[in-house]
Amino acid sequence: MTEPRQRPDVGSYDDIAAAAVRTTGLTDFGGTAHDEGLRLLVEDLASPEAGLTPVGNYFHRAQVKSALVGRLMTEARFAEFPEHAEVPIERPIFVVGLPRTGTTALHRLLCADPAHQGLELWLTEYPQPRPPRETWEDDPIFNAMQEAFRQHHVTNPEFMGIHYMDATSPEECWRLLRQTGKSISYESLANVPRYSAWLAGQDWTDAYERHRRNLQLIGLHDREKRWVLKNPSHLVALEALMKVYPDALIVCTRRDPVTSIASACSLSAEATAGTSTTFVGDTIGHTQLGMLERSWRSFTEARQRYDAAQFVDVDYREFVADPVGTVAGIYDAFGIAWSDAARAEVARIDAESRTGQARPSHRYDLADYGLTDEQVRAAFDL
């Protein structure tokens, strides 16, 4: 079994940026919009509140460096393929909801339609025009990421049961948003109170503008396909999303928040095991509840200002009982053609998801994170 890598410290933001330049051989970050947030994040990560271990220092430094490497590589690709700017993005579907409410499963079913496209994980890390599928195994970046996930699943089997990932899977698009230093993913992985306070006061419009440019780049050769995206942070930035994608179609999943918050805390704990002495137990519970409560309130308040026909709500229990029927209902609500090919692929992916490595297996208890059912229900006015 491979031992986790370690560092004595996170290092400075400037040091991490220099490392990203050395890794890629590129120097054009496309401006400085990312600097403020990522610099503050690194300062938070180096603080006693974060309580990072040597393993955590390496892990979190790698997260920041990956965002910077992705930004550098994206800028190079923008210059290499200027025609990306002309690619239309029409009526994209965004799946939103509290974490652990079925968003991942629903997203992957919606992506199964041959007329749709999602963000494969390796392309969210290092965007480029999506190459033909049969060539992916020849790409060194793809192979390195696939091997990294293989090793991760061997050493972290519990995480695989919570959220199965590999380089080919359609994944969340927070890796695109973090190119501007804005992502609630950082709050889900560490105790970073100053960064959290900064992020809560930000306008996300520039993050979504860059998000759109990345979709235009990645979908350059698939411009006729509808985009299907998913990310919990869309809850907190609905106004920016709708400003950049005014014809967006929003699918909102709903589940008892007691179950949702407990599951989200468990995911954060499993993803960060051994990385911090402070981001554990009660701290995970209270930071995640606070962040998700703010996100949900922001979404429900902003939603009232947009056309109700652009939104569909999905009950988690109904989705679990009839996944294919739920997807068909979404198509009907939005006036999207439910073709025979779409029906067949959605049914196939649904069947595959119930067996093998991708089959979900997850146990959690709200009390492990210092929370009670009453606290959670009160936070969500239930």
Side-chain angles (χ1 to χ4, degrees), residues 279-298:
F279 193 67
V280 294
D282 291 9
T283 299
I284 289 179
H286 292 289
T287 57
Q288 300 313 290
L289 177 59
M291 176 188 70
L292 295 170
E293 176 194 359
R294 292 192 302 273
S295 298
W296 184 253
R297 289 184 183 278
S298 175

Side-chain angles (χ1 to χ4, degrees), residues 233-249:
S233 71
H234 296 319
L235 289 172
V236 79
L238 182 64
E239 287 185 298
L241 186 158
M242 297 299 280
K243 182 176 181 180
V244 175
Y245 300 101
D247 60 351
L249 307 174

Side-chain angles (χ1 to χ4, degrees), residues 157-170:
E158 288 297 320
F159 187 87
M160 181 173 69
I162 297 173
H163 185 79
Y164 180 80
M165 300 165 64
D166 69 24
T168 69
S169 301

Side-chain angles (χ1 to χ4, degrees), residues 29 37-38 49 72 85 109 125 172 196 206 257 276 322 327 382:
F29 284 101
L38 292 180
E49 289 96 328
L72 284 166
L109 292 184
E125 285 275 7
E172 296 177 350
S196 296
D206 63 334
S276 172
D322 185 9
V327 173
L382 296 176

Side-chain angles (χ1 to χ4, degrees), residues 207-225:
Y208 279 91
E209 288 171 343
R210 189 173 182 88
H211 179 280
R212 185 184 182 98
R213 287 191 68 193
N214 270 293
L215 295 190
Q216 291 175 302
L217 176 72
I218 295 168
L220 181 62
H221 305 316
D222 299 292
R223 59 180 67 198
E224 76 286 354
K225 294 185 177 182

Side-chain angles (χ1 to χ4, degrees), residues 4 37 39 60 87 115 177 180 230 257 271 314 333:
R39 188 179 295 277
H60 285 286
V87 174
L177 295 169
T180 46
K230 183 269 258 197
V314 171

Side-chain angles (χ1 to χ4, degrees), residues 49 75 110 134 143 145 152 226 247 265 288 317 331:
E49 289 96 328
E75 285 300 319
L110 288 166
E134 63 272 13
N143 285 323
M145 291 190 65
H152 177 72
R226 183 194 309 273
D247 60 351
C265 289
Q288 300 313 290
R317 292 165 298 181
Y331 276 57

Side-chain angles (χ1 to χ4, degrees), residues 333-354:
F334 288 144
I336 300 171
W338 181 233
S339 67
D340 291 341
R343 184 192 309 274
E345 281 302 298
V346 169
R348 182 181 68 81
I349 295 298
D350 176 52
E352 286 183 358
S353 72
R354 300 170 187 273

